Coordinates of all heavy atoms in Angstrom, one line a residue:
M24 N 141.5 111.9 75.3 CA 140.0 112.1 75.1 C 139.5 113.2 76.1 O 140.0 113.3 77.3 CB 139.3 110.8 75.4 CG 139.1 110.0 74.1 SD 137.8 108.8 74.3 CE 138.5 107.7 75.5
T25 N 138.5 113.9 75.7 CA 137.9 114.9 76.6 C 136.9 114.1 77.5 O 136.5 113.0 77.3 CB 137.1 115.9 75.8 OG1 136.0 115.3 75.1 CG2 137.9 116.6 74.7
A26 N 136.4 114.9 78.5 CA 135.4 114.3 79.4 C 134.2 113.8 78.7 O 133.6 112.7 79.0 CB 135.1 115.3 80.5
L27 N 133.7 114.6 77.8 CA 132.5 114.3 77.1 C 132.7 113.0 76.2 O 131.8 112.2 76.1 CB 132.0 115.5 76.2 CG 130.6 115.3 75.6 CD1 129.5 115.0 76.6 CD2 130.3 116.6 74.8
E28 N 133.9 113.0 75.5 CA 134.2 111.8 74.7 C 134.3 110.6 75.5 O 133.8 109.5 75.1 CB 135.5 112.1 73.9 CG 135.3 113.0 72.8 CD 136.7 113.5 72.2 OE1 137.7 113.4 72.9 OE2 136.7 114.1 71.1
K29 N 134.9 110.7 76.7 CA 135.0 109.5 77.6 C 133.6 109.1 78.1 O 133.3 107.9 78.2 CB 135.8 109.9 78.9 CG 137.3 109.7 78.7 CD 138.0 110.0 80.0 CE 139.5 110.4 79.6 NZ 140.1 111.3 80.7
C30 N 132.7 110.1 78.3 CA 131.4 109.8 78.7 C 130.6 109.0 77.6 O 130.0 108.0 77.9 CB 130.7 111.2 78.8 SG 129.4 111.2 80.0
M31 N 130.8 109.4 76.4 CA 130.2 108.6 75.3 C 130.8 107.2 75.1 O 130.0 106.3 74.9 CB 130.3 109.4 74.0 CG 129.4 110.6 74.0 SD 129.4 111.5 72.4 CE 130.7 112.7 72.5
E32 N 132.1 107.1 75.3 CA 132.7 105.8 75.2 C 132.2 104.9 76.4 O 131.8 103.7 76.1 CB 134.2 105.9 75.4 CG 134.9 104.6 75.0 CD 136.4 104.6 75.5 OE1 136.7 105.2 76.5 OE2 137.2 103.9 74.8
S33 N 132.0 105.5 77.6 CA 131.5 104.7 78.7 C 130.1 104.2 78.4 O 129.8 103.0 78.7 CB 131.4 105.6 79.9 OG 132.7 106.0 80.3
L34 N 129.2 105.0 77.8 CA 127.9 104.6 77.4 C 127.9 103.4 76.5 O 127.2 102.4 76.7 CB 127.2 105.8 76.6 CG 126.4 106.8 77.4 CD1 125.8 107.8 76.4 CD2 125.2 106.1 78.1
I35 N 128.8 103.4 75.5 CA 128.9 102.3 74.6 C 129.4 101.1 75.2 O 128.9 100.0 75.1 CB 129.8 102.8 73.4 CG1 129.1 103.9 72.6 CG2 130.0 101.6 72.4 CD1 130.0 104.7 71.7
V36 N 130.5 101.3 76.0 CA 131.1 100.1 76.7 C 130.1 99.4 77.7 O 130.0 98.2 77.7 CB 132.4 100.5 77.4 CG1 132.9 99.5 78.4 CG2 133.5 100.9 76.4
I37 N 129.4 100.3 78.5 CA 128.5 99.7 79.4 C 127.3 99.0 78.8 O 126.9 97.9 79.2 CB 128.0 100.8 80.4 CG1 129.2 101.2 81.3 CG2 126.8 100.4 81.2 CD1 129.0 102.5 82.1
F38 N 126.8 99.6 77.7 CA 125.7 99.0 77.0 C 126.1 97.6 76.5 O 125.4 96.6 76.7 CB 125.3 99.8 75.8 CG 124.3 99.2 74.9 CD1 122.9 99.3 75.2 CD2 124.7 98.5 73.7 CE1 122.0 98.6 74.4 CE2 123.8 97.8 72.9 CZ 122.4 97.9 73.2
H39 N 127.3 97.5 75.9 CA 127.8 96.2 75.4 C 128.1 95.2 76.5 O 128.0 94.0 76.3 CB 128.9 96.4 74.4 CG 128.4 97.0 73.1 ND1 127.8 96.2 72.1 CD2 128.5 98.3 72.6 CE1 127.4 97.0 71.1 NE2 127.8 98.2 71.4
R40 N 128.6 95.7 77.6 CA 129.0 94.8 78.7 C 127.7 94.0 79.2 O 127.8 92.9 79.5 CB 129.5 95.7 79.9 CG 130.1 94.8 81.0 CD 130.5 95.6 82.2 NE 131.6 96.6 81.8 CZ 131.8 97.8 82.4 NH1 131.0 98.1 83.4 NH2 132.7 98.6 82.0
Y41 N 126.6 94.7 79.2 CA 125.4 94.0 79.6 C 124.7 93.3 78.4 O 124.1 92.2 78.6 CB 124.4 95.0 80.2 CG 124.9 95.4 81.6 CD1 125.8 96.5 81.7 CD2 124.5 94.7 82.7 CE1 126.3 96.8 83.0 CE2 125.0 95.1 84.0 CZ 125.9 96.1 84.1 OH 126.4 96.5 85.3
A42 N 124.8 93.9 77.2 CA 124.2 93.3 76.1 C 124.7 91.9 75.7 O 124.0 91.0 75.3 CB 124.3 94.2 74.9
V43 N 126.0 91.7 76.0 CA 126.7 90.5 75.6 C 126.4 89.3 76.5 O 126.7 88.2 76.2 CB 128.3 90.8 75.5 CG1 128.9 90.7 76.9 CG2 128.9 89.9 74.5
Q44 N 125.8 89.6 77.7 CA 125.6 88.5 78.7 C 124.8 87.3 78.2 O 125.0 86.2 78.7 CB 125.1 89.1 80.0 CG 126.2 90.0 80.6 CD 125.7 90.6 81.9 OE1 124.7 90.3 82.5 NE2 126.6 91.5 82.5
D45 N 123.8 87.5 77.3 CA 123.0 86.4 76.9 C 123.5 85.9 75.5 O 122.8 85.1 74.9 CB 121.5 86.7 76.9 CG 121.2 87.7 75.8 OD1 122.1 88.2 75.1 OD2 120.0 88.0 75.7
G46 N 124.6 86.3 75.1 CA 125.2 85.9 73.8 C 124.9 86.8 72.6 O 125.7 86.8 71.7
D47 N 123.8 87.6 72.7 CA 123.5 88.5 71.6 C 124.1 89.9 72.1 O 123.4 90.6 72.9 CB 122.0 88.6 71.4 CG 121.6 89.7 70.5 OD1 122.5 90.4 69.9 OD2 120.4 90.0 70.4
G48 N 125.2 90.3 71.6 CA 125.9 91.5 72.1 C 125.4 92.8 71.5 O 125.9 93.8 71.9
K49 N 124.4 92.7 70.7 CA 123.9 93.9 70.0 C 122.7 94.5 70.7 O 122.3 95.7 70.5 CB 123.6 93.7 68.6 CG 124.8 93.5 67.7 CD 124.5 93.7 66.2 CE 125.8 93.6 65.4 NZ 126.0 92.3 64.9
T50 N 122.0 93.7 71.5 CA 120.8 94.2 72.2 C 120.7 93.8 73.6 O 121.3 92.8 74.1 CB 119.5 93.6 71.5 OG1 119.6 92.2 71.5 CG2 119.3 94.1 70.1
L51 N 119.9 94.5 74.4 CA 119.6 94.2 75.8 C 118.3 93.5 75.9 O 117.3 94.0 75.4 CB 119.5 95.5 76.6 CG 120.7 96.4 76.9 CD1 120.3 97.7 77.6 CD2 121.8 95.6 77.7
S52 N 118.3 92.3 76.5 CA 117.0 91.7 76.8 C 116.5 92.3 78.1 O 117.1 93.2 78.7 CB 117.3 90.2 77.1 OG 118.1 90.0 78.3
K53 N 115.3 91.9 78.5 CA 114.7 92.5 79.7 C 115.5 92.3 80.9 O 115.7 93.1 81.7 CB 113.3 92.0 79.9 CG 112.3 92.9 80.6 CD 110.9 92.3 80.7 CE 110.2 92.5 79.3 NZ 108.9 91.8 79.3
R54 N 116.0 91.0 81.0 CA 116.9 90.7 82.1 C 118.2 91.5 82.2 O 118.6 92.0 83.2 CB 117.2 89.2 82.1 CG 117.9 88.7 83.3 CD 118.5 87.3 83.1 NE 117.4 86.3 83.0 CZ 117.6 85.0 82.9 NH1 118.8 84.5 83.0 NH2 116.6 84.2 82.8
E55 N 118.7 91.7 81.0 CA 120.0 92.5 80.9 C 119.7 94.0 81.3 O 120.5 94.6 81.9 CB 120.6 92.4 79.5 CG 121.2 91.0 79.3 CD 121.5 90.8 77.8 OE1 120.9 91.5 76.9 OE2 122.3 89.9 77.5
L56 N 118.6 94.5 80.8 CA 118.2 95.8 81.1 C 118.0 96.0 82.6 O 118.5 97.0 83.2 CB 116.9 96.2 80.4 CG 116.3 97.6 80.7 CD1 117.2 98.7 80.2 CD2 114.9 97.8 80.1
K57 N 117.4 95.1 83.2 CA 117.1 95.2 84.7 C 118.5 95.2 85.4 O 118.7 96.0 86.3 CB 116.3 94.0 85.2 CG 115.9 94.1 86.6 CD 115.0 93.0 87.1 CE 114.6 93.2 88.6 NZ 115.6 93.5 89.5
K58 N 119.4 94.3 85.0 CA 120.7 94.2 85.6 C 121.5 95.5 85.4 O 122.1 96.0 86.4 CB 121.5 93.0 85.0 CG 122.5 92.5 85.9 CD 123.1 91.2 85.5 CE 124.2 90.8 86.5 NZ 125.3 90.1 85.8
L59 N 121.4 96.1 84.2 CA 122.1 97.3 84.0 C 121.5 98.5 84.9 O 122.3 99.2 85.5 CB 121.9 97.7 82.5 CG 122.7 98.9 82.0 CD1 123.0 98.8 80.5 CD2 122.0 100.2 82.2
I60 N 120.2 98.5 85.0 CA 119.6 99.6 85.8 C 120.0 99.3 87.3 O 120.3 100.3 88.0 CB 118.1 99.6 85.6 CG1 117.7 100.1 84.2 CG2 117.4 100.4 86.7 CD1 116.3 99.9 83.8
D61 N 119.9 98.1 87.7 CA 120.2 97.8 89.1 C 121.6 98.2 89.5 O 121.9 98.7 90.5 CB 120.0 96.3 89.4 CG 118.6 95.9 89.5 OD1 117.7 96.8 89.6 OD2 118.3 94.7 89.5
E62 N 122.6 97.8 88.5 CA 124.0 98.0 88.9 C 124.6 99.3 88.5 O 125.5 99.8 89.1 CB 124.8 96.9 88.2 CG 124.5 95.5 88.9 CD 125.2 94.3 88.2 OE1 126.1 94.6 87.3 OE2 124.8 93.2 88.5
E63 N 124.0 99.9 87.4 CA 124.6 101.2 86.9 C 123.8 102.4 87.2 O 124.4 103.5 87.2 CB 124.8 101.1 85.4 CG 125.6 99.8 84.9 CD 127.1 99.8 85.3 OE1 127.6 100.9 85.7 OE2 127.6 98.7 85.4
L64 N 122.5 102.2 87.5 CA 121.7 103.4 87.8 C 121.0 103.3 89.1 O 119.8 103.6 89.2 CB 120.7 103.6 86.6 CG 121.3 103.9 85.2 CD1 120.2 103.7 84.2 CD2 121.9 105.3 85.1
P65 N 121.6 102.8 90.2 CA 120.9 102.5 91.4 C 120.2 103.7 92.0 O 119.2 103.6 92.6 CB 121.9 101.9 92.3 CG 123.2 102.4 91.8 CD 123.1 102.5 90.3
S66 N 120.9 104.9 91.9 CA 120.3 106.0 92.6 C 119.2 106.7 91.8 O 118.4 107.5 92.3 CB 121.4 107.0 93.0 OG 122.3 107.2 91.9
F67 N 119.2 106.4 90.5 CA 118.2 107.1 89.6 C 116.9 106.3 89.5 O 115.8 106.9 89.5 CB 118.8 107.3 88.2 CG 119.9 108.2 88.2 CD1 121.1 107.8 87.7 CD2 119.8 109.5 88.6 CE1 122.2 108.7 87.6 CE2 120.8 110.4 88.6 CZ 122.0 110.0 88.1
I68 N 117.0 105.0 89.4 CA 115.8 104.2 89.2 C 115.8 103.1 90.2 O 116.7 102.2 90.2 CB 115.7 103.6 87.8 CG1 115.7 104.7 86.8 CG2 114.4 102.8 87.6 CD1 115.8 104.3 85.4
K69 N 114.9 103.1 91.1 CA 114.8 102.1 92.1 C 114.0 100.9 91.5 O 112.8 100.8 91.8 CB 114.1 102.6 93.4 CG 114.8 103.8 94.0 CD 115.9 103.4 95.0 CE 116.6 104.6 95.5 NZ 118.0 104.5 95.5
A70 N 114.7 100.1 90.8 CA 114.0 99.0 90.1 C 114.3 97.7 90.7 O 113.8 96.6 90.3 CB 114.3 99.0 88.6
Q71 N 115.1 97.7 91.8 CA 115.6 96.5 92.4 C 114.5 95.4 92.6 O 114.6 94.3 92.2 CB 116.3 96.7 93.7 CG 117.7 97.3 93.5 CD 117.7 98.8 93.4 OE1 116.7 99.4 93.2 NE2 118.9 99.4 93.7
K72 N 113.4 95.8 93.3 CA 112.4 94.9 93.6 C 111.1 95.2 92.8 O 110.1 94.7 93.1 CB 112.2 94.8 95.1 CG 113.2 94.0 95.8 CD 113.0 94.0 97.3 CE 114.2 93.3 97.9 NZ 114.3 93.6 99.3
N73 N 111.3 96.0 91.8 CA 110.1 96.3 91.0 C 110.3 96.0 89.6 O 110.7 96.8 88.8 CB 109.8 97.9 91.2 CG 108.5 98.3 90.7 OD1 107.8 97.5 90.0 ND2 108.1 99.5 91.0
T74 N 109.9 94.8 89.2 CA 110.1 94.3 87.9 C 109.1 95.1 86.9 O 109.4 95.2 85.7 CB 109.8 92.8 87.7 OG1 108.7 92.5 88.5 CG2 111.0 92.0 88.1
Q75 N 108.0 95.6 87.5 CA 107.1 96.4 86.7 C 107.7 97.6 86.1 O 107.4 98.0 85.0 CB 105.9 96.8 87.5 CG 104.6 96.0 87.0 CD 103.4 96.4 87.7 OE1 103.4 97.0 88.8 NE2 102.3 96.2 87.0
T76 N 108.6 98.3 86.9 CA 109.3 99.5 86.4 C 110.1 99.1 85.2 O 110.1 99.8 84.2 CB 110.3 100.0 87.5 OG1 109.5 100.1 88.7 CG2 110.8 101.4 87.1
V77 N 110.8 98.0 85.2 CA 111.7 97.6 84.1 C 110.8 97.3 82.9 O 111.0 97.7 81.8 CB 112.5 96.4 84.5 CG1 113.3 95.9 83.3 CG2 113.4 96.7 85.6
E78 N 109.7 96.6 83.2 CA 108.7 96.3 82.2 C 108.2 97.5 81.4 O 108.2 97.6 80.2 CB 107.5 95.6 82.8 CG 106.7 94.7 81.9 CD 107.0 93.2 82.1 OE1 107.8 92.9 83.0 OE2 106.5 92.5 81.3
C79 N 107.9 98.6 82.2 CA 107.4 99.8 81.7 C 108.5 100.5 80.8 O 108.2 101.0 79.7 CB 107.0 100.8 82.8 SG 105.4 100.4 83.5
I80 N 109.7 100.6 81.4 CA 110.8 101.2 80.7 C 111.0 100.5 79.3 O 111.2 101.1 78.3 CB 112.1 101.2 81.5 CG1 111.9 102.1 82.8 CG2 113.3 101.6 80.7 CD1 113.0 101.9 83.8
M81 N 111.0 99.2 79.4 CA 111.2 98.3 78.2 C 110.2 98.6 77.2 O 110.5 98.9 76.0 CB 111.2 96.9 78.6 CG 111.6 95.9 77.6 SD 113.4 95.8 77.6 CE 113.6 94.7 76.2
K82 N 108.9 98.7 77.6 CA 107.8 98.9 76.7 C 107.9 100.3 76.0 O 107.7 100.4 74.8 CB 106.5 98.9 77.5 CG 105.4 98.1 76.8 CD 104.2 98.0 77.7 CE 102.9 97.7 76.9 NZ 101.7 97.8 77.8
D83 N 108.3 101.3 76.8 CA 108.5 102.6 76.3 C 109.6 102.7 75.2 O 109.5 103.4 74.2 CB 108.9 103.6 77.4 CG 107.6 104.1 78.1 OD1 106.5 103.8 77.7 OD2 107.8 104.8 79.1
L84 N 110.7 102.0 75.5 CA 111.9 102.2 74.7 C 111.9 101.3 73.5 O 112.6 101.6 72.5 CB 113.1 102.0 75.5 CG 113.4 103.0 76.7 CD1 114.6 102.5 77.5 CD2 113.5 104.4 76.2
D85 N 111.2 100.1 73.6 CA 111.4 99.1 72.5 C 110.5 99.5 71.3 O 109.4 99.1 71.2 CB 110.9 97.8 73.1 CG 111.1 96.7 72.1 OD1 111.8 96.8 71.1 OD2 110.5 95.6 72.3
L86 N 111.1 100.3 70.5 CA 110.3 100.9 69.3 C 109.9 99.8 68.3 O 108.7 99.9 67.8 CB 111.1 102.0 68.6 CG 111.4 103.2 69.5 CD1 112.3 104.2 68.7 CD2 110.1 103.9 70.0
N87 N 110.7 98.8 68.0 CA 110.3 97.8 67.0 C 109.7 96.6 67.6 O 109.4 95.6 67.0 CB 111.5 97.5 66.1 CG 112.6 96.8 66.9 OD1 112.5 96.6 68.1 ND2 113.7 96.3 66.2
K88 N 109.4 96.7 68.9 CA 108.6 95.6 69.6 C 109.2 94.2 69.5 O 108.5 93.3 69.3 CB 107.2 95.6 69.1 CG 106.5 97.0 69.2 CD 106.1 97.4 70.7 CE 105.7 98.8 70.7 NZ 106.0 99.4 72.0
D89 N 110.5 94.1 69.6 CA 111.1 92.8 69.6 C 111.5 92.3 71.0 O 112.2 91.3 71.1 CB 112.3 92.7 68.6 CG 113.4 93.6 69.0 OD1 113.3 94.4 70.0 OD2 114.5 93.5 68.4
D90 N 111.1 93.1 72.0 CA 111.4 92.7 73.4 C 112.9 92.8 73.7 O 113.4 92.2 74.7 CB 110.9 91.3 73.7 CG 109.6 91.4 74.4 OD1 109.3 92.4 75.1 OD2 108.8 90.4 74.3
K91 N 113.6 93.5 72.9 CA 115.0 93.8 73.1 C 115.3 95.2 72.8 O 114.6 95.9 72.0 CB 115.9 92.9 72.2 CG 115.9 91.5 72.6 CD 116.6 90.7 71.5 CE 116.6 89.2 71.9 NZ 117.2 88.4 70.8
L92 N 116.4 95.8 73.5 CA 116.8 97.2 73.2 C 118.1 97.2 72.5 O 119.1 96.7 73.0 CB 116.9 97.9 74.5 CG 115.6 98.2 75.3 CD1 115.9 99.1 76.5 CD2 114.5 98.7 74.5
D93 N 118.1 97.8 71.3 CA 119.4 98.0 70.7 C 120.0 99.4 71.2 O 119.3 100.0 72.0 CB 119.4 98.0 69.2 CG 118.4 99.0 68.6 OD1 118.2 100.0 69.2 OD2 117.9 98.7 67.5
F94 N 121.2 99.7 70.8 CA 121.8 100.9 71.4 C 120.9 102.2 71.1 O 120.8 103.0 72.0 CB 123.2 101.1 70.8 CG 124.0 102.2 71.6 CD1 124.3 102.0 72.9 CD2 124.4 103.3 70.9 CE1 125.0 103.0 73.6 CE2 125.1 104.3 71.5 CZ 125.4 104.1 72.9
E95 N 120.4 102.2 69.9 CA 119.5 103.4 69.5 C 118.3 103.5 70.4 O 117.9 104.6 70.8 CB 119.1 103.2 68.1 CG 118.8 104.5 67.4 CD 118.4 104.3 65.9 OE1 119.0 103.4 65.3 OE2 117.5 105.0 65.5
E96 N 117.7 102.4 70.8 CA 116.5 102.4 71.6 C 116.9 102.6 73.1 O 116.1 103.2 73.9 CB 115.8 101.0 71.5 CG 115.1 100.8 70.2 CD 114.7 99.3 70.0 OE1 115.3 98.4 70.5 OE2 113.6 99.2 69.4
F97 N 118.1 102.3 73.5 CA 118.6 102.5 74.8 C 118.9 103.9 75.1 O 118.7 104.4 76.3 CB 119.8 101.6 75.0 CG 120.6 101.8 76.3 CD1 120.1 101.4 77.5 CD2 121.9 102.4 76.2 CE1 120.9 101.7 78.7 CE2 122.6 102.7 77.4 CZ 122.1 102.3 78.6
L98 N 119.4 104.6 74.1 CA 119.9 106.0 74.4 C 118.8 107.0 75.0 O 119.2 107.8 75.8 CB 120.4 106.6 73.1 CG 121.9 106.4 72.8 CD1 122.3 107.1 71.5 CD2 122.8 106.8 74.0
P99 N 117.6 106.9 74.5 CA 116.6 107.8 75.1 C 116.4 107.7 76.7 O 116.1 108.6 77.3 CB 115.3 107.4 74.4 CG 115.7 106.9 73.1 CD 117.0 106.2 73.4
L100 N 116.7 106.5 77.2 CA 116.7 106.3 78.6 C 117.8 107.1 79.3 O 117.5 107.9 80.3 CB 117.0 104.8 79.0 CG 117.1 104.4 80.5 CD1 115.8 104.7 81.2 CD2 117.6 103.0 80.6
V101 N 119.0 107.1 78.7 CA 120.1 107.9 79.3 C 119.8 109.4 79.1 O 119.9 110.2 80.0 CB 121.4 107.5 78.6 CG1 122.5 108.4 79.1 CG2 121.7 106.1 78.7
A102 N 119.2 109.7 77.9 CA 118.9 111.1 77.6 C 117.8 111.6 78.6 O 118.0 112.7 79.1 CB 118.5 111.3 76.2
G103 N 116.8 110.8 78.8 CA 115.7 111.2 79.7 C 116.2 111.4 81.1 O 115.9 112.4 81.8
L104 N 117.1 110.5 81.6 CA 117.7 110.6 82.9 C 118.5 111.8 83.0 O 118.5 112.6 84.0 CB 118.5 109.4 83.3 CG 117.6 108.1 83.6 CD1 118.5 106.9 83.7 CD2 116.8 108.3 84.8
A105 N 119.3 112.1 82.0 CA 120.2 113.3 82.0 C 119.3 114.6 82.1 O 119.7 115.5 82.8 CB 121.1 113.3 80.7
L106 N 118.2 114.6 81.3 CA 117.3 115.7 81.4 C 116.8 115.9 82.8 O 116.8 117.1 83.3 CB 116.2 115.5 80.4 CG 116.4 116.0 79.0 CD1 115.2 115.5 78.1 CD2 116.5 117.5 78.9
A107 N 116.4 114.9 83.4 CA 115.8 114.9 84.7 C 116.9 115.4 85.7 O 116.6 116.3 86.6 CB 115.3 113.6 85.2
C108 N 118.1 114.9 85.6 CA 119.2 115.3 86.4 C 119.5 116.8 86.3 O 119.8 117.5 87.2 CB 120.4 114.6 86.1 SG 120.3 112.9 86.6
E109 N 119.5 117.3 85.0 CA 119.8 118.6 84.7 C 118.8 119.6 85.4 O 119.1 120.6 85.9 CB 119.8 118.9 83.2 CG 120.7 120.1 82.8 CD 119.9 121.3 82.5 OE1 118.6 121.2 82.4 OE2 120.4 122.4 82.4
K110 N 117.5 119.2 85.4 CA 116.5 119.9 86.1 C 116.7 120.1 87.6 O 116.6 121.1 88.2 CB 115.1 119.3 85.8 CG 114.5 119.7 84.5 CD 113.0 119.3 84.4 CE 112.6 119.6 82.9 NZ 112.0 118.4 82.3
C111 N 117.1 118.9 88.2 CA 117.5 118.9 89.6 C 118.6 119.8 89.8 O 118.7 120.6 90.8 CB 117.8 117.5 90.0 SG 116.4 116.4 90.2
Y112 N 119.6 119.7 88.9 CA 120.8 120.6 89.1 C 120.5 122.0 89.0 O 120.9 122.8 89.9 CB 121.8 120.2 87.9 CG 123.0 121.0 87.8 CD1 124.1 120.7 88.6 CD2 123.2 122.1 87.0 CE1 125.3 121.4 88.6 CE2 124.3 122.9 86.9 CZ 125.4 122.5 87.7 OH 126.5 123.2 87.7
N113 N 119.6 122.4 88.1 CA 119.1 123.8 88.0 C 118.4 124.3 89.3 O 118.7 125.4 89.8 CB 118.2 124.0 86.8 CG 119.0 124.1 85.5 OD1 120.2 124.3 85.5 ND2 118.3 123.8 84.4
L114 N 117.5 123.4 89.8 CA 116.8 123.7 91.0 C 117.8 124.0 92.2 O 117.7 124.9 93.0 CB 115.9 122.6 91.4 CG 114.5 122.6 90.7 CD1 113.8 121.3 91.1 CD2 113.7 123.8 91.0
H115 N 118.8 123.1 92.3 CA 119.8 123.1 93.3 C 120.6 124.4 93.2 O 120.8 125.1 94.2 CB 120.7 121.9 93.1 CG 121.4 121.5 94.4 ND1 120.8 120.9 95.4 CD2 122.7 121.8 94.8 CE1 121.7 120.7 96.4 NE2 122.8 121.2 96.0
E116 N 120.9 124.8 92.0 CA 121.7 126.0 91.7 C 120.9 127.2 92.2 O 121.5 128.1 92.9 CB 122.0 126.2 90.2 CG 123.0 125.3 89.7 CD 124.4 125.8 90.0 OE1 124.9 126.7 89.2 OE2 125.1 125.3 90.9
K117 N 119.6 127.3 91.9 CA 118.8 128.4 92.3 C 118.7 128.5 93.8 O 118.9 129.6 94.4 CB 117.4 128.2 91.7 CG 117.2 128.8 90.3 CD 115.8 128.7 89.9 CE 115.7 128.8 88.4 NZ 114.4 128.2 87.9
K118 N 118.5 127.3 94.4 CA 118.4 127.3 95.9 C 119.7 127.9 96.5 O 119.7 128.7 97.4 CB 118.2 125.9 96.4 CG 116.7 125.6 96.7 CD 116.6 124.2 97.3 CE 115.2 123.7 97.2 NZ 115.1 122.3 97.6
G119 N 120.8 127.4 95.9 CA 122.1 127.8 96.4 C 122.4 129.3 96.4 O 122.9 129.9 97.3
K120 N 121.8 129.9 95.3 CA 122.1 131.3 95.1 C 121.2 132.2 96.1 O 121.6 133.3 96.5 CB 121.7 131.7 93.7 CG 122.9 131.6 92.8 CD 122.6 131.8 91.3 CE 123.7 131.3 90.5 NZ 123.2 131.1 89.1
K121 N 120.0 131.7 96.5 CA 119.2 132.4 97.4 C 119.8 132.6 98.8 O 119.6 133.6 99.4 CB 117.8 131.7 97.6 CG 116.8 132.2 96.5 CD 115.5 131.5 96.7 CE 114.6 131.7 95.5 NZ 113.5 130.7 95.5
Q122 N 120.5 131.5 99.2 CA 121.1 131.5 100.6 C 122.2 132.5 100.7 O 122.9 132.8 99.8 CB 121.5 130.1 100.9 CG 120.3 129.2 101.3 CD 120.7 127.8 101.3 OE1 121.8 127.4 101.0 NE2 119.8 126.9 101.6
Ligands
LIG18 CA1 113.9 96.6 70.1

């Protein structure tokens, strides 16, 4: 597998690792989402002691309003974070070139 393919596999595996914790392996509950963010995205989202952050993220992503995130609803979170990271990366690159 290529790096990008591995990346996509990881996304799927990690989503299901957390989704399965309450018995329903297809969706993330709020608690599972919080755990996933705490454990897998600690440097991106400081949600450890801020349940409101998780609440907001959940509200934004939960398109069908069932208080759970399926994989399709979860992906924009990763895409959004990747976009933000890429912006940082570009800024960093520019800074590096000036010096
Ligand atoms: Ca949903």
